[in-house]
Amino acid sequence: MKEKTYLDNVHRLRALNFFSRLDEHILEEFRKNCVVCSISVGETVFLEGDESSGIYFIESGKVEISKRGVPIAILEAGDYFGEMSVVIEDEQTRSATAHALDDLVLFKIDLGFIKNYFVGERSPLYDLILTYNTRLKKHNEKVVDQYLSLQKNYLALGETNRQLLKTEKLASIGTLTAGIAHEINNPLTIILGYTDLLLKDPDLELTGNPLFQKGIRYIDKAAGAIERIVRDIKNYVRMNPDEIIKINLNNTIQSTLDIVSYLYRKNKITLNTSFTSRKIEIMGNPGSLQQVIMNLLSNAKDALEEIEEKEKIITVGTDVEEDMAVLIVEDNGCGIPPEKIDHIFEPFFTTKGINRGTGLGLDIIKKIVENMKGNIQVKSNRKEGAAFRITIPLA
């Protein structure tokens, strides 16, 4: 902050509304006691709790007034601040913080000088101002308290939402444990079997031996299967939603299906695919996209549990419509009741029984899709099942 010891002429003061009606000799006294302050953008004029020393009048620039870190006012040229230290006798410290939003030119009038002119002996007007100030301070305190409380609740809600996302993902991972174990165990059995054969056969000539070559090919294929499954699982559990990359939609769907295929076969559910021949690339987070697919598959699986008289089928398809990628997950299950279909994307709403779901799966899906600038819709028929249709912009 740079200060001059005096103001060069009264015309700059009179241009401010506060001084426009003062007599010339009074205005001259103010000029003699006026200090010009030049303050750069970002600087602090004074802090809440600082000792009061005078009133500031804004000739140019903007000032933000805040209380306990909460902005409560923005003042512009012609406004003034710090006046409570003048009209209220016991206001010895600043009740708020003043911060420069622009380069400022301020006129500072000393506290002692200005009190001689505008306070003097107490009057009904002064008592009225005192009462108004007391009420205003209480109101400001209440508003600031409410704001800070809302801010705290908002941050807590955001953390709760992040934890719910993790909980939903961990719950779906838990249902896949048996399938993952089975899928990994199958290729491992092949590897161990052929390795044991190659190691224990004393008569086996390795070079050029067809059995050796066959065994090596099986081992290579089985090891590749393990690598693929582990990679798919790692992508799914990746908890970094800020990582946005170009994703091959068909490949991501297929890798998700590879993870769950055993569980669905075990439940006698047929997984069909109908992928467009076009290469579809979208921008997004691979783990989040897999979570969308996984949750939709899980919902379809649950909807098929009541089906006994016909084959259980889930079909996953892709297409391209103009500049949008299309993903469709449909089942031939029990469908969604008409009175509930408008509510299924609401948080904590579920059509499943008690202890069968959190009611957050579709809400999470909707949020992920919308974060990818996409849209999700659902159609359902009680006799034909449900179909979820997602559209996402092409990369």
Side-chain angles (χ1 to χ4, degrees), residues 121-367:
E121 60 182 67
R122 294 180 65 113
S123 66
L125 179 60
Y126 178 77
D127 289 335
L128 182 63
I129 294 175
L130 180 61
T131 301
Y132 173 75
N133 175 69
T134 302
R135 292 176 180 174
L136 185 60
K137 285 178 68 176
K138 289 181 179 179
H139 176 72
N140 283 344
E141 289 289 344
K142 184 176 181 181
V143 170
V144 170
D145 286 340
Q146 290 175 340
Y147 176 88
L148 292 175
S149 177
L150 287 172
Q151 185 183 56
K152 181 180 179 181
N153 291 338
Y154 175 79
L155 294 174
L157 186 61
E159 179 60 27
T160 299
N161 184 59
R162 284 189 289 273
Q163 293 302 320
L164 287 172
L165 283 170
K166 291 181 181 180
T167 301
E168 187 77 15
K169 178 168 284 189
L170 289 173
S172 62
I173 291 173
T175 64
L176 297 174
T177 303
I180 292 170
H182 182 275
E183 294 291 341
I184 292 179
N185 186 63
N186 278 346
L188 277 179
T189 301
I190 297 172
I191 291 174
L192 292 174
Y194 276 92
T195 302
D196 187 68
L197 176 63
L198 293 172
L199 291 176
K200 290 183 178 180
D201 190 340
D203 300 324
L204 186 63
E205 294 181 8
L206 301 183
T207 305
N209 188 298
L211 181 58
F212 174 75
Q213 297 297 328
K214 183 178 181 181
I216 290 298
R217 286 195 297 273
Y218 272 114
I219 289 172
D220 183 66
K221 184 177 180 180
I226 291 177
E227 182 183 33
R228 185 184 69 253
I229 292 168
V230 171
R231 182 180 65 247
D232 292 342
I233 294 170
K234 286 175 66 178
N235 285 338
Y236 178 62
V237 300
R238 183 182 298 163
M239 293 300 290
N240 182 15
D242 296 327
E243 181 187 18
I244 304 300
I245 62 175
K246 188 177 289 187
I247 305 170
N248 185 304
L249 180 60
N250 288 347
N251 289 350
T252 302
I253 295 171
Q254 189 58 59
S255 67
T256 307
L257 294 175
D258 289 342
I259 296 176
V260 303
S261 58
Y262 169 72
L263 277 181
Y264 286 70
R265 289 197 304 270
K266 185 179 178 181
N267 286 273
K268 298 180 180 179
I269 296 173
T270 301
L271 287 175
N272 290 335
T273 57
S274 177
F275 295 161
T276 177
S277 58
R278 289 183 55 179
K279 182 179 179 180
I280 306 178
E281 291 186 327
I282 58 176
M283 297 302 296
N285 175 263
S288 296
L289 180 59
Q290 279 197 299
Q291 185 175 4
V292 168
I293 300 166
M294 194 78 76
N295 284 4
L296 289 176
L297 290 172
S298 178
N299 286 346
K301 175 176 171 290
D302 291 341
L304 291 168
E305 286 188 354
E306 301 178 15
I307 302 300
E308 296 180 356
E309 68 279 1
K310 62 181 179 181
E311 183 182 5
K312 301 176 182 181
I313 300 173
I314 298 174
T315 302
V316 184
T318 60
D319 202 354
V320 175
E321 294 181 359
E322 297 181 352
D323 58 347
M324 303 294 285
V326 180
L327 164 62
I328 298 175
V329 178
E330 56 185 330
D331 63 75
N332 64 337
C334 60
I336 303 168
E339 68 275 11
K340 295 182 178 180
I341 197 167
D342 291 335
H343 302 284
I344 60 171
F345 293 108
E346 297 175 4
F348 305 107
F349 182 85
T350 179
T351 59
K352 303 174 185 178
I354 299 174
N355 298 325
R356 289 291 310 280
T358 62
L360 291 170
L362 287 173
D363 175 58
I364 291 171
I365 288 173
K366 187 172 185 289
K367 285 182 170 63

Side-chain angles (χ1 to χ4, degrees), residues 59-75:
E59 184 181 43
S60 63
K62 293 182 180 181
V63 175
E64 179 186 78
I65 306 298
S66 62
K67 193 171 184 64
R68 287 189 282 163
V70 179
I72 57 176
I74 294 179
L75 306 179

